[in-house]
Amino acid sequence: MSETEKIPVISMQHVKRTYSMGDSQVYALKDVSFTIYQGDFVTIMGPSGSGKSTCMNMIGCLDRPSDGIVKINGKETSLMNEKELAILRNQTVGFVFQQYFLIASMTVIENVMLPLRYAGIEKKERRVLAEKALERVGLSERINHYPNELSGGQKQRVAIARALVTRPKIILADEPTGALDSETGKAVMKLFWEINRAGTTVVIVTHDPRVGASARRCIKILDGLIQSDVKIIHKALKK
């Protein structure tokens, strides 16, 4: 499928983001443009302070541009109110974070069911969908465990199941292997590949070059500007 036939799910066109610090303006993004299509697997890579987290907040509908256009699933975020942004975020993006953010007092399945509760899904259906999501990440036998009974890799799989349970178009992951050892990190990246092959767009924000090179495409950002945007021929594509 050519790029003209693909469906853009993330579009940033000449995006700038400034923050006021006293009397001065600090540029987090200076002039950033890229398009991510349905089914892409992309990493956004850069050091701390590069602007990658600001890009993540734009994609996750957590922030708006100071200038330029951000479209998520075809909708321009700067034209939406907070309620509309929350709906777009909840229906379109599944979040995975480095520190998992699981609720300690809830079991694994209760953690995964939580986004569906916010979405107004009936309890019986919530459980069915959560069980399917946990089966997908290989944790069916752990549904009644609590987070403190899990390894770091298992906690991240629960977080991924929680992100998947609403069947979002985009999985947005922030340093998802940062708190894991190298072998567990590789297993988590393999899971992202499986999710992507099933048709979900995956975007990973990272400072780690190994993770950056583990996708189909890597966008490198530095000082609020894109330094490179390259497609990657990865051995995983051949599997």
Side-chain angles (χ1 to χ4, degrees):
M1 183 181 292
S2 69
E3 287 196 354
T4 56
E5 296 172 311
K6 291 182 179 179
I7 300 171
V9 291
I10 301 163
S11 176
M12 295 180 65
Q13 300 300 321
H14 302 291
V15 171
K16 299 177 183 179
R17 185 65 174 97
T18 60
Y19 297 95
S20 297
M21 294 189 68
D23 295 330
S24 61
Q25 293 288 313
V26 176
Y27 277 85
L29 297 178
K30 295 176 181 176
D31 187 359
V32 169
S33 297
F34 60 79
T35 301
I36 296 175
Y37 297 93
Q38 183 176 312
D40 277 355
F41 188 171
V42 181
T43 51
I44 299 175
M45 192 176 78
S48 178
S50 63
K52 67 182 187 298
S53 294
T54 304
C55 281
M56 180 190 72
N57 290 340
M58 298 288 177
I59 294 169
C61 303
L62 299 170
D63 198 2
R64 310 179 202 228
S66 302
D67 195 13
I69 296 173
V70 176
K71 290 185 178 181
I72 305 299
N73 201 27
K75 298 180 179 180
E76 188 172 342
T77 60
S78 62
L79 302 179
M80 305 175 76
N81 61 37
E82 292 301 324
K83 182 177 180 180
E84 291 168 334
L85 281 175
I87 292 170
L88 178 62
R89 180 168 56 243
N90 293 339
Q91 293 180 347
T92 307
V93 184
F95 293 89
V96 179
F97 300 100
Q98 178 178 344
Q99 298 301 330
Y100 324 126
F101 293 121
L102 302 178
I103 298 175
S105 61
M106 288 185 171
T107 63
V108 163
I109 195 164
E110 288 170 341
N111 269 280
V112 177
M113 289 168 62
L114 194 57
L116 298 172
R117 179 180 177 184
Y118 295 145
I121 306 298
E122 292 292 332
K123 186 174 182 179
K124 185 176 181 180
E125 185 179 357
R126 293 202 303 264
R127 186 173 183 89
V128 171
L129 292 172
E131 287 175 348
K132 288 180 179 178
L134 286 163
E135 181 180 1
R136 191 172 175 184
V137 302
L139 282 179
S140 293
E141 77 285 359
R142 297 280 183 170
I143 63 173
N144 293 317
H145 286 65
Y146 287 88
N148 65 359
E149 299 173 318
L150 305 178
S151 68
Q154 289 170 333
K155 289 177 184 177
Q156 194 58 291
R157 285 176 177 266
V158 175
I160 293 170
R162 182 182 58 194
L164 285 171
V165 76
T166 57
R167 291 172 281 192
K169 288 184 176 291
I170 303 163
I171 292 292
L172 180 58
D174 181 20
E175 303 283 7
T177 64
L180 306 175
D181 63 74
S182 59
E183 287 304 310
T184 305
K186 287 178 184 178
V188 168
M189 289 304 298
K190 183 179 179 182
L191 179 55
F192 280 122
W193 268 106
E194 293 170 0
I195 292 165
N196 176 252
R197 287 196 188 100
T200 303
T201 304
V202 177
V203 179
I204 296 177
V205 177
T206 184
H207 73 279
D208 187 340
R210 293 170 298 178
V211 175
S214 297
R216 300 176 190 271
R217 175 182 169 198
C218 180
I219 299 171
K220 292 184 180 179
I221 189 168
L222 182 66
D223 296 330
L225 292 168
I226 291 178
Q227 300 296 297
S228 64
D229 184 348
V230 297
K231 293 182 179 179
I232 302 170
I233 303 301
H234 192 274
K235 63 182 181 180
L237 294 173
K238 301 177 182 179
K239 293 182 179 180

